[in-house]
CSV table of all heavy atoms in Angstrom, one decimal:
chain,number,residue,atom,x,y,z
Y,20,PHE,N,-7.5,-5.3,-1.1
Y,20,PHE,CA,-6.7,-6.2,-0.3
Y,20,PHE,C,-7.2,-6.2,1.1
Y,20,PHE,O,-7.1,-5.2,1.8
Y,20,PHE,CB,-5.3,-5.8,-0.4
Y,20,PHE,CG,-4.7,-5.8,-1.8
Y,20,PHE,CD1,-4.4,-4.6,-2.4
Y,20,PHE,CD2,-4.4,-7.0,-2.4
Y,20,PHE,CE1,-3.8,-4.6,-3.7
Y,20,PHE,CE2,-3.8,-7.0,-3.7
Y,20,PHE,CZ,-3.6,-5.9,-4.3
Y,21,PRO,N,-7.7,-7.3,1.6
Y,21,PRO,CA,-8.2,-7.4,3.0
Y,21,PRO,C,-7.1,-7.2,4.0
Y,21,PRO,O,-6.0,-7.7,3.9
Y,21,PRO,CB,-8.7,-8.8,3.1
Y,21,PRO,CG,-8.9,-9.3,1.7
Y,21,PRO,CD,-7.9,-8.6,0.9
Y,22,GLY,N,-7.4,-6.3,5.0
Y,22,GLY,CA,-6.5,-6.0,6.1
Y,22,GLY,C,-5.3,-5.2,5.8
Y,22,GLY,O,-4.4,-4.9,6.6
Y,23,VAL,N,-5.2,-4.7,4.5
Y,23,VAL,CA,-4.0,-3.9,4.1
Y,23,VAL,C,-4.3,-2.4,4.3
Y,23,VAL,O,-5.4,-1.9,4.0
Y,23,VAL,CB,-3.7,-4.1,2.6
Y,23,VAL,CG1,-2.6,-3.2,2.1
Y,23,VAL,CG2,-3.3,-5.6,2.4
Y,24,ASP,N,-3.4,-1.7,4.9
Y,24,ASP,CA,-3.5,-0.3,5.2
Y,24,ASP,C,-3.2,0.5,3.9
Y,24,ASP,O,-3.4,0.1,2.8
Y,24,ASP,CB,-2.7,0.1,6.4
Y,24,ASP,CG,-3.0,1.5,7.0
Y,24,ASP,OD1,-3.8,2.2,6.4
Y,24,ASP,OD2,-2.5,1.8,8.1
Y,25,HIS,N,-2.5,1.6,4.1
Y,25,HIS,CA,-2.3,2.5,3.0
Y,25,HIS,C,-1.3,2.0,1.9
Y,25,HIS,O,-1.4,2.4,0.7
Y,25,HIS,CB,-1.8,3.9,3.5
Y,25,HIS,CG,-1.8,5.0,2.5
Y,25,HIS,ND1,-2.9,5.2,1.7
Y,25,HIS,CD2,-0.8,5.8,2.1
Y,25,HIS,CE1,-2.6,6.3,0.9
Y,25,HIS,NE2,-1.3,6.6,1.1
Y,26,ASN,N,-0.4,1.1,2.3
Y,26,ASN,CA,0.6,0.7,1.3
Y,26,ASN,C,0.1,-0.4,0.4
Y,26,ASN,O,0.8,-1.4,0.2
Y,26,ASN,CB,1.9,0.3,2.0
Y,26,ASN,CG,1.7,-1.0,2.8
Y,26,ASN,OD1,0.6,-1.2,3.3
Y,26,ASN,ND2,2.7,-1.8,3.0
Y,27,SER,N,-1.1,-0.2,-0.2
Y,27,SER,CA,-1.6,-1.3,-1.0
Y,27,SER,C,-0.8,-1.5,-2.3
Y,27,SER,O,-1.1,-2.4,-3.1
Y,27,SER,CB,-3.1,-1.0,-1.4
Y,27,SER,OG,-3.3,0.4,-1.8
Y,28,TRP,N,0.1,-0.5,-2.6
Y,28,TRP,CA,0.9,-0.7,-3.8
Y,28,TRP,C,1.9,-1.9,-3.7
Y,28,TRP,O,2.2,-2.5,-4.7
Y,28,TRP,CB,1.7,0.6,-4.1
Y,28,TRP,CG,2.5,1.1,-2.9
Y,28,TRP,CD1,3.8,0.7,-2.5
Y,28,TRP,CD2,2.1,2.1,-2.0
Y,28,TRP,NE1,4.2,1.4,-1.4
Y,28,TRP,CE2,3.2,2.3,-1.1
Y,28,TRP,CE3,1.0,2.9,-1.9
Y,28,TRP,CZ2,3.1,3.2,0.0
Y,28,TRP,CZ3,0.9,3.8,-0.9
Y,28,TRP,CH2,1.9,4.0,0.1
Y,29,THR,N,2.2,-2.3,-2.4
Y,29,THR,CA,3.1,-3.4,-2.3
Y,29,THR,C,2.5,-4.7,-2.7
Y,29,THR,O,3.1,-5.4,-3.6
Y,29,THR,CB,3.6,-3.5,-0.8
Y,29,THR,OG1,4.3,-2.3,-0.4
Y,29,THR,CG2,4.5,-4.7,-0.6
Y,30,PRO,N,1.3,-5.1,-2.3
Y,30,PRO,CA,0.7,-6.3,-2.8
Y,30,PRO,C,0.3,-6.2,-4.3
Y,30,PRO,O,0.3,-7.2,-5.0
Y,30,PRO,CB,-0.5,-6.6,-1.9
Y,30,PRO,CG,-0.8,-5.2,-1.3
Y,30,PRO,CD,0.5,-4.5,-1.2
Y,31,ALA,N,0.0,-5.0,-4.7
Y,31,ALA,CA,-0.4,-4.8,-6.1
Y,31,ALA,C,0.8,-5.0,-7.0
Y,31,ALA,O,0.7,-5.8,-8.0
Y,31,ALA,CB,-0.9,-3.4,-6.3
Y,32,PHE,N,1.9,-4.4,-6.7
Y,32,PHE,CA,3.1,-4.6,-7.5
Y,32,PHE,C,3.6,-6.1,-7.5
Y,32,PHE,O,4.3,-6.5,-8.5
Y,32,PHE,CB,4.3,-3.7,-7.0
Y,32,PHE,CG,4.0,-2.3,-7.2
Y,32,PHE,CD1,4.7,-1.3,-6.4
Y,32,PHE,CD2,3.1,-1.8,-8.1
Y,32,PHE,CE1,4.5,0.0,-6.6
Y,32,PHE,CE2,2.9,-0.4,-8.3
Y,32,PHE,CZ,3.6,0.5,-7.5
Y,33,ASN,N,3.2,-6.8,-6.5
Y,33,ASN,CA,3.7,-8.2,-6.4
Y,33,ASN,C,2.7,-9.2,-7.0
Y,33,ASN,O,3.0,-10.4,-7.0
Y,33,ASN,CB,3.9,-8.6,-4.9
Y,33,ASN,CG,5.2,-8.1,-4.4
Y,33,ASN,OD1,6.3,-8.3,-4.9
Y,33,ASN,ND2,5.1,-7.3,-3.3
Y,34,LEU,N,1.6,-8.7,-7.6
Y,34,LEU,CA,0.7,-9.6,-8.3
Y,34,LEU,C,1.5,-10.2,-9.5
Y,34,LEU,O,2.1,-9.4,-10.3
Y,34,LEU,CB,-0.5,-8.9,-8.7
Y,34,LEU,CG,-1.5,-8.5,-7.6
Y,34,LEU,CD1,-2.6,-7.6,-8.1
Y,34,LEU,CD2,-2.1,-9.8,-6.9
Y,35,PRO,N,1.4,-11.5,-9.8
Y,35,PRO,CA,2.1,-12.1,-10.9
Y,35,PRO,C,1.9,-11.5,-12.3
Y,35,PRO,O,2.7,-11.6,-13.1
Y,35,PRO,CB,1.8,-13.6,-10.8
Y,35,PRO,CG,0.5,-13.6,-10.0
Y,35,PRO,CD,0.5,-12.5,-9.1
Y,36,HIS,N,0.7,-11.0,-12.5
Y,36,HIS,CA,0.3,-10.6,-13.8
Y,36,HIS,C,0.2,-9.0,-13.9
Y,36,HIS,O,-0.4,-8.5,-14.9
Y,36,HIS,CB,-1.0,-11.2,-14.3
Y,36,HIS,CG,-0.9,-12.7,-14.3
Y,36,HIS,ND1,-0.1,-13.4,-15.1
Y,36,HIS,CD2,-1.6,-13.6,-13.6
Y,36,HIS,CE1,-0.2,-14.7,-14.9
Y,36,HIS,NE2,-1.2,-14.9,-14.0
Y,37,PHE,N,0.8,-8.3,-13.0
Y,37,PHE,CA,0.6,-6.9,-12.9
Y,37,PHE,C,1.2,-6.3,-14.2
Y,37,PHE,O,0.6,-5.5,-14.9
Y,37,PHE,CB,1.4,-6.3,-11.7
Y,37,PHE,CG,1.2,-4.8,-11.5
Y,37,PHE,CD1,0.2,-4.3,-10.8
Y,37,PHE,CD2,2.1,-3.9,-12.1
Y,37,PHE,CE1,0.0,-3.0,-10.6
Y,37,PHE,CE2,2.0,-2.6,-11.9
Y,37,PHE,CZ,0.9,-2.1,-11.2
Y,38,MET,N,2.4,-6.6,-14.5
Y,38,MET,CA,3.1,-6.0,-15.7
Y,38,MET,C,2.5,-6.6,-17.0
Y,38,MET,O,2.4,-5.9,-18.0
Y,38,MET,CB,4.6,-6.3,-15.7
Y,38,MET,CG,5.3,-5.7,-14.5
Y,38,MET,SD,5.5,-3.9,-14.7
Y,38,MET,CE,7.0,-3.8,-15.6
Y,39,ASP,N,2.1,-7.9,-17.0
Y,39,ASP,CA,1.5,-8.5,-18.2
Y,39,ASP,C,0.3,-7.7,-18.6
Y,39,ASP,O,0.0,-7.4,-19.8
Y,39,ASP,CB,1.2,-9.9,-18.0
Y,39,ASP,CG,2.4,-10.8,-18.1
Y,39,ASP,OD1,3.4,-10.4,-18.7
Y,39,ASP,OD2,2.4,-11.9,-17.5
Y,40,TRP,N,-0.6,-7.4,-17.6
Y,40,TRP,CA,-1.8,-6.7,-17.8
Y,40,TRP,C,-1.6,-5.4,-18.4
Y,40,TRP,O,-2.2,-5.0,-19.4
Y,40,TRP,CB,-2.7,-6.6,-16.6
Y,40,TRP,CG,-4.0,-5.9,-16.8
Y,40,TRP,CD1,-5.1,-6.4,-17.2
Y,40,TRP,CD2,-4.2,-4.5,-16.8
Y,40,TRP,NE1,-6.1,-5.5,-17.4
Y,40,TRP,CE2,-5.5,-4.2,-17.1
Y,40,TRP,CE3,-3.4,-3.4,-16.5
Y,40,TRP,CZ2,-6.1,-3.0,-17.2
Y,40,TRP,CZ3,-3.9,-2.1,-16.5
Y,40,TRP,CH2,-5.3,-1.9,-16.9
Y,41,LEU,N,-0.6,-4.6,-17.8
Y,41,LEU,CA,-0.3,-3.3,-18.3
Y,41,LEU,C,0.1,-3.2,-19.7
Y,41,LEU,O,-0.5,-2.5,-20.5
Y,41,LEU,CB,0.7,-2.6,-17.4
Y,41,LEU,CG,1.2,-1.2,-17.7
Y,41,LEU,CD1,0.0,-0.2,-17.5
Y,41,LEU,CD2,2.4,-0.8,-16.9
Y,42,PHE,N,1.1,-4.0,-20.0
Y,42,PHE,CA,1.7,-3.9,-21.4
Y,42,PHE,C,0.8,-4.7,-22.4
Y,42,PHE,O,1.2,-4.6,-23.6
Y,42,PHE,CB,3.1,-4.4,-21.4
Y,42,PHE,CG,4.1,-3.5,-20.7
Y,42,PHE,CD1,4.5,-3.6,-19.4
Y,42,PHE,CD2,4.5,-2.3,-21.4
Y,42,PHE,CE1,5.3,-2.7,-18.8
Y,42,PHE,CE2,5.3,-1.4,-20.8
Y,42,PHE,CZ,5.8,-1.6,-19.5
Y,43,SER,N,-0.2,-5.4,-22.0
Y,43,SER,CA,-1.1,-6.0,-23.0
Y,43,SER,C,-2.2,-5.0,-23.5
Y,43,SER,O,-2.9,-5.3,-24.5
Y,43,SER,CB,-1.7,-7.2,-22.4
Y,43,SER,OG,-2.7,-6.9,-21.4
Y,44,GLN,N,-2.3,-3.9,-22.8
Y,44,GLN,CA,-3.4,-2.9,-23.2
Y,44,GLN,C,-2.9,-2.0,-24.4
Y,44,GLN,O,-1.8,-1.6,-24.5
Y,44,GLN,CB,-3.7,-2.0,-22.0
Y,44,GLN,CG,-4.1,-2.8,-20.7
Y,44,GLN,CD,-5.2,-3.7,-21.0
Y,44,GLN,OE1,-6.2,-3.4,-21.6
Y,44,GLN,NE2,-5.1,-5.0,-20.4
C-alpha cells in the first residue's frame, strides 16, 4: 500500500475480496 505506515491491516481488511480469497482456499 503506497504511503501507508504500520497500520496496513486497515486497507487490507477493507479490500472487497479479502474474505472471499481466504475462505476459497
Side-chain angles (χ1 to χ4, degrees):
F20 299 108
V23 174
D24 195 352
H25 189 51
N26 67 330
S27 50
W28 52 84
T29 298
F32 293 159
N33 282 304
L34 290 172
H36 301 299
F37 184 90
M38 297 286 274
D39 283 336
W40 180 88
L41 178 65
F42 285 101
S43 69
Q44 304 305 315

